Amino acid sequence: MKPGSDEYLQHMRDLYRWLNRKWEPVILTVLARKPMRYTELRDTIQKMNVGDEWYRRPGSKLTDKVLGETLSAMQDDGLVLHQRDTSTIPPAATYALTATARQLLNALRPAVEWVADHHDLIEKAKTNRRTHKTEFS
């Protein structure tokens, strides 16, 4: 598949749609650390303070309803496993990444590293654009 081809563009759109989902990248990043129970996952994300600052929108807090729906969608996509241990009372439910999710994270690593390596240049370009608007802006 060549960059610029129709097939490449379609897959790029699919990737963008997935990455643009509000909480999935955050959940993937947190679960990459280790499998977690629901409350530990929720509390970890809330402590990260990724709500309003992350999305620059008011009301961006992760609610139990949204977390449950997102985890369910991620299970449907084959990215998260929901494992129940019925030998404990109450039964323990743990969420973990699938091998597919780990492959996805590994594939995204070069892009994340590129952003980290070029962060200063990107911010400088944004500042220049804001302070030196052209007639084409």
Side-chain angles (χ1 to χ4, degrees):
M1 176 174 31
K2 291 185 176 184
S5 69
D6 290 346
E7 180 183 18
Y8 187 90
L9 178 60
Q10 181 57 49
H11 293 304
M12 182 66 88
R13 284 181 187 146
D14 291 343
L15 175 64
Y16 180 75
R17 263 189 236 112
W18 179 82
L19 289 175
N20 202 35
R21 291 179 185 168
K22 195 166 188 177
W23 292 104
E24 288 187 26
V26 177
I27 292 169
L28 270 184
T29 302
V30 172
L31 287 179
R33 299 172 186 177
K34 65 178 184 171
M36 293 185 183
R37 294 180 71 165
Y38 181 92
T39 53
E40 181 184 12
L41 176 61
R42 182 197 61 210
D43 294 347
T44 301
I45 292 170
Q46 288 175 343
K47 286 178 188 170
M48 292 170 66
N49 193 27
V50 295
D52 293 342
E53 179 183 319
W54 179 268
Y55 291 100
R56 292 186 169 81
R57 291 184 271 196
S60 293
K61 293 194 176 194
L62 180 61
T63 64
D64 282 329
K65 178 183 180 214
V66 170
L67 179 57
E69 289 171 353
T70 305
L71 287 168
S72 181
M74 293 175 77
Q75 288 174 67
D76 292 345
D77 290 342
L79 299 173
V80 170
L81 291 173
H82 180 215
Q83 302 164 326
R84 281 183 119 50
D85 179 3
T86 56
S87 67
T88 63
I89 298 176
T94 303
Y95 293 90
L97 295 183
T98 63
T100 301
R102 293 203 177 277
Q103 289 172 349
L104 174 62
L105 287 173
N106 285 333
L108 291 173
R109 182 175 294 149
V112 172
E113 290 171 356
W114 183 92
V115 170
D117 291 345
H118 295 85
H119 186 266
D120 291 342
L121 291 173
I122 293 167
E123 290 304 313
K124 184 177 179 181
K126 285 180 187 176
T127 301
N128 285 341
R129 171 124 166 60
R130 285 186 209 116
T131 57
H132 302 96
K133 292 195 177 223
T134 67
E135 62 187 61
F136 299 110
S137 299

